Amino acid sequence: MRVLVVEDEKKTASFVRKALQAEGFAVDVCHNGNDALAAASGTPFDGIVLDIMLPGRDGLSVLRQLRESKNATPVLLLSARGEVNERVEGLNAGADDYLPKPFALVELVARVRALGRRGGEPKSPTLRVSDFTLDTITRQAQRGGVTIELTAREYRLLEYLMRSPGRICGRMAILEKVWDYDFDPGTNLVDVYIKRLREKIDADFEPKLLHTVRGVGYVIKESP
Ligand code: CA
């Protein structure tokens, strides 16, 4: 399950991210409303944890904008005040749930999990590019009917790329999303893993799916 956390207080955002990651969620974090809208329109999330009090565009405005653009991703609103008015306003604007601050992390995790069960549109658990498939429940990879063994990290990298086929994924974004680095370790880690994945999913098959975009990163797609 992939979750977007929108919270400007970096410490809170970091606690929430770690708590969700510890429970197996893939987590993206944004610190303001405009970044949140950009992220939500570019990536299909299974849930959004959205703080109301944000600098600039606030959480309620983000929520309204999402719903206006027909984005039905389930949203859990967070608020420092927990006022009835704000809660009603949030639910009217299309929030799925509401949690007043301060909250216990275990409660937040439970609510996010419930959010995922509620779901927006039913999504296929299988990601597909050409004849390559990745089952996000069993974590099984297959190409041309052949099962491909992946390590946990290889799976995570492939899932990240396959969540947005055709989109160029930068090395730094990959390090952040797949390795949870928020700095460039200055190694060729990503390139090494891509090379391994090529040997597994592309070497014995046509067409090639993993493509290098020089100086930028990688993209998974059927045509070069
Ligand atoms: Ca805040």
Side-chain angles (χ1 to χ4, degrees):
M1 214 182 134
R2 182 160 211 103
V3 180
L4 176 64
V5 173
V6 190
E7 165 64 274
D8 59 306
E9 290 148 52
K10 302 245 160 94
K11 225 173 171 177
T12 309
S14 166
F15 282 140
V16 169
R17 177 217 281 264
K18 283 182 188 142
L20 289 170
Q21 279 173 342
E23 296 294 318
F25 295 94
V27 183
D28 288 17
V29 174
C30 288
H31 300 297
N32 68 64
N34 286 331
D35 286 355
L37 280 177
S41 62
T43 310
F45 289 99
D46 303 294
I48 301 176
V49 177
L50 180 59
D51 189 35
I52 291 181
M53 299 292 281
L54 296 169
R57 184 191 279 280
D58 74 7
L60 288 174
S61 163
V62 171
L63 176 60
R64 286 195 194 94
Q65 191 60 47
L66 282 174
R67 296 303 185 242
E68 254 168 50
S69 56
K70 304 281 174 257
N71 184 321
T73 308
V75 168
L76 169 63
L77 277 179
L78 301 179
S79 162
R81 284 173 279 171
E83 285 175 359
V84 177
N85 283 351
E86 211 172 47
R87 176 183 181 149
V88 170
E89 204 180 335
L91 295 174
N92 281 341
D96 299 82
D97 199 1
Y98 182 96
L99 189 60
K101 288 179 177 176
F103 50 80
L105 282 173
V106 284
E107 178 162 21
L108 178 102
V109 170
R111 299 276 193 108
V112 170
R113 194 169 281 131
L115 214 56
R117 281 198 294 269
R118 206 166 307 173
E121 301 134 42
K123 249 179 246 137
S124 163
T126 303
L127 304 173
R128 174 185 297 275
V129 174
S130 183
D131 60 345
F132 178 69
T133 56
L134 196 61
D135 187 315
T136 58
I137 293 170
T138 64
R139 303 203 155 196
Q140 204 180 51
Q142 282 204 331
R143 183 147 190 203
V146 180
T147 298
I148 296 167
E149 297 295 331
L150 298 173
T151 64
R153 191 72 71 178
E154 288 167 353
Y155 170 85
R156 238 177 121 175
L157 175 53
L158 260 181
E159 185 189 347
Y160 176 61
L161 294 170
M162 289 192 64
R163 288 272 174 207
S164 319
R167 188 187 67 175
I168 298 166
C169 300
R171 277 190 188 74
M172 198 56 225
I174 292 173
L175 284 168
E176 271 179 38
K177 303 288 158 38
V178 179
W179 275 270
D180 301 322
Y181 285 167
D182 52 9
F183 59 94
D184 187 343
T187 67
N188 61 347
L189 197 58
V190 176
D191 312 76
V192 169
Y193 270 81
I194 292 282
K195 186 163 178 284
R196 277 195 220 164
L197 284 178
R198 282 205 168 112
E199 280 159 15
K200 290 188 174 187
I201 74 166
D202 271 347
D204 300 332
F205 301 95
E206 289 294 340
K208 304 304 179 201
L209 303 178
L210 279 169
H211 305 278
T212 305
V213 183
R214 278 199 199 290
V216 184
Y218 297 97
V219 57
I220 193 161
K221 59 179 180 173
E222 202 162 336
S223 53

